[in-house]
Structures are given as structure tokens and as C-alpha cells.
């Protein structure tokens, strides 16, 4: 199986240390919950794994199947099968969701492709995106919209889920994919992720809600505090923190809090 390994990762943003030695191993087919209070470094870990240029790895490394990706560009990592759904996605005015997805899907499927070379044939792509959208109960008109331009919170999340379904990455980091959604939208998103991700992907789910984890039961849960993972456990740890909050954690690890 494919394995994503994060070893002793230290990350700075604008010379300010944020992560202080994170270790995490995620196998394809597993679902891990990444928890922790606001500001503990969860999104930073996601951005660093994806290769966001603002997040500088100062120590440690990220391995995908023993290939060191720590210094790779974000698009190279995407081609190797890493994916992140952003908490606050960017708008790409003038680019339709379908065109964006056709490019992204082509690049992931043909890692050797150079810019300007052929895309997946339109007919094949249309058929595939239509199937996926039907499966996800999405109106196919939605793919004609400009990427995230004027999307509601719910629509942004649906676009991310469609992207996940089309790209079929080996590993996906879902950063508060359920934030800003009403109860019905959270349920639909949770079911869709289970449908797409299920056994096929390694999922790292960052969430403050139970619903997403109910539909995607984690085998592992990790708690971040002060830029470190201070505790790891099974699904019971996720439930405890959802029910009781982080007081126990803050008391147990005062040096990190
Ligand atoms: P979480 O996702 O757990 O809420 P973040 O990873 O967003 O936490 O943030 C961790 C810490 O890093 C916070 O103190 C935050 O202010 C800081 N931080 C994160 N991203 C940036 C950034 N781009 N610029 C400056 N500070 C940042
Ligand atoms: Mg965050
Ligand atoms: Mg961040």
C-alpha cells in the first residue's frame, strides 16, 4: 500500500516557527482525524504537506512511498497523488469549473504531460464528469460556473468534492470541508466523501463536527497543540474531544498550550 509519512516536521511562516516536530503516518485506505483547538497548526500541516510556497520546512521531511517530496513544487506533489481541499479556496475568475477540472485531471493522469500538450478528450471527460456529478447528486450546470467566483460556502465545498471525485488522489487532506454548511449540506458532503474516498484513499480529515467522522469513521485520531501532535489514539479520542473539548489536553500538555 501507499504510505504518506511526515517525519519530525518543523515549519515556519514568514520566519515564525509554527510546527515544532510533527510525526504522522497515513496509509492509503485509512482515515485519520486531525483535531486541535484553533491556531494549533492543523491547516499549516496541510499546506506544508501540499507544498504551499509560504510554508517553509526548516527541519524534517515528507515522504510519499519513500520518495522525499519535501522540496517538490505543489503541482508535482499533486501529480504524485496528494490533494488538499482548502478551508478558504481561491476564486479563479474566467475559468469554468469543468475546464479547470479537465486540466487538473489530465495533469494527474499523465504526470509526464507538458503544458500545452493534449488534454483528456472532451467527449470522454464530459461523460466522466457527468457520471460523477450524477453520483454526487449535483446539477451538471454547476460545472459551467466560474471557479469559486460567487460560489456560496456550500457550492465551494461541492466543487472541492467534485474535484476529489475526478482526481482520485492517493491521499487527501480535507480541511474543515464541512465548515459553514447547514446540517443537510454537511450530511450530503459527508456521504459523498465516504462514497468517493472510502477504501480508495488515505484521508486526513480536519473537522470540528461529528457528522463528517460519523460517515467516515477514523481508524486514528491525532490532537495538535502548539504545533505538535500531543496525543494519538483511535476513534474514541475523536469522540471524547468532540464531546468535551480541549480542556483535558491543555492541562495535560501545558508546555505546548
Ligand atoms: P489551525 O488550522 O489549527 O487553526 P493554523 O495552522 O491556521 O491553525 O495556524 C497556526 C498558527 O500559525 C497560528 O498562530 C496562525 O496565526 C499562524 N499562521 C498560519 N498561517 C499563517 C500565515 N500564512 N501567516 C502568518 N501566520 C500564520
Ligand atoms: Mg485551520
Ligand atoms: Mg494555516
Amino acid at each position: 500500500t501507499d504510505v504518506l509519512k511526515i517525519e519530525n516536521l518543523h515549519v515556519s511562516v514568514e520566519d515564525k516557527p509554527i510546527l515544532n516536530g510533527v510525526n504522522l503516518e497515513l496509509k492509503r485506505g485509512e482515515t485519520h482525524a486531525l483535531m486541535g483547538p484553533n491556531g494549533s497548526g492543523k491547516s499549516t500541516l496541510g499546506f506544508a504537506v501540499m507544498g504551499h510556497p509560504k510554508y517553509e520546512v526548516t527541519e524534517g521531511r515528507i515522504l510519499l512511498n519513500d520518495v522525499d517530496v519535501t522540496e517538490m513544487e505543489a503541482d508535482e506533489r499533486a501529480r504524485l497523488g496528494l490533494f488538499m481541499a482548502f478551508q478558504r479556496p481561491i476564486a479563479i475568475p474566467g475559468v469554468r469549473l469543468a475546464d479547470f477540472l479537465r486540466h487538473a485531471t489530465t495533469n494527474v493522469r499523465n504526470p509526464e504531460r507538458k503544458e500545452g500538450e493534449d488534454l483528456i478528450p472532451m467527449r470522454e471527460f464530459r461523460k466522466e464528469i457527468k457520471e460523477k456529478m450524477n453520483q454526487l447528486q449535483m446539477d451538471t450546470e454547476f460545472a459551467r460556473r466560474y471557479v469559486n467566483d460567487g460560489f456560496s460556502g456550500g457550492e465551494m465545498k461541492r466543487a472541492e468534492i467534485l474535484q476529489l471525485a475526478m482526481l482520485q488522489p492517493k491521499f487527501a487532506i480535507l480541511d474543515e470541508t464541512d465548515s459553514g454548511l447547514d446540517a443537510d449540506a454537511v450530511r450530503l458532503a459527508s456521504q459523498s466523501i465516504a462514497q468517493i474516498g472510502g477504501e480508495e484513499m488515505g484521508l486526513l480529515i480536519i473537522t470540528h463536527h461529528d457528522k463528517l467522522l460519523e460517515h467516515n469513521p477514523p481508524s486514528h485520531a491525532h490532537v495538535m497543540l502548539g504545533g505538535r501532535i500531543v496525543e494519538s489514539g483511535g476513534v474514541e479520542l475523536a469522540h471524547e474531544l468532540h464531546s468535551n473539548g480541549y480542556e483535558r489536553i491543555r492541562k495535560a500538555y501545558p508546555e505546548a498550550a
Side-chain angles (χ1 to χ4, degrees), residues 4-6 9 11 19 26 42-57 62-64 69-87 108 163-164 167 169-175 202 204 206:
L4 176 66
K5 250 187 242 170
I6 298 164
L9 199 69
V11 173
L19 299 186
L26 176 61
K42 306 181 296 297
S43 295
T44 299
L45 179 61
F47 285 123
V49 170
M50 290 312 299
H52 189 298
K54 257 185 105 163
Y55 295 77
E56 189 200 349
V57 175
I62 303 158
L63 301 170
L64 180 56
V69 304
T70 317
E71 298 301 325
M72 281 186 191
E73 301 292 335
D75 68 323
E76 276 180 272
R77 300 185 201 205
R79 287 172 188 224
L80 291 177
L82 295 178
F83 173 89
M84 178 163 169
F86 296 103
Q87 199 174 345
V108 164
Q163 193 180 351
L164 188 67
L167 295 183
K170 294 187 174 91
F171 295 96
I173 301 171
L174 306 179
D175 192 358
L204 185 63
I206 302 172

Side-chain angles (χ1 to χ4, degrees), residues 7 82 114 130 151 190 227:
E7 290 182 354
L82 295 178
K114 309 264 184 309
K130 206 175 148 203
F151 279 12
S190 305

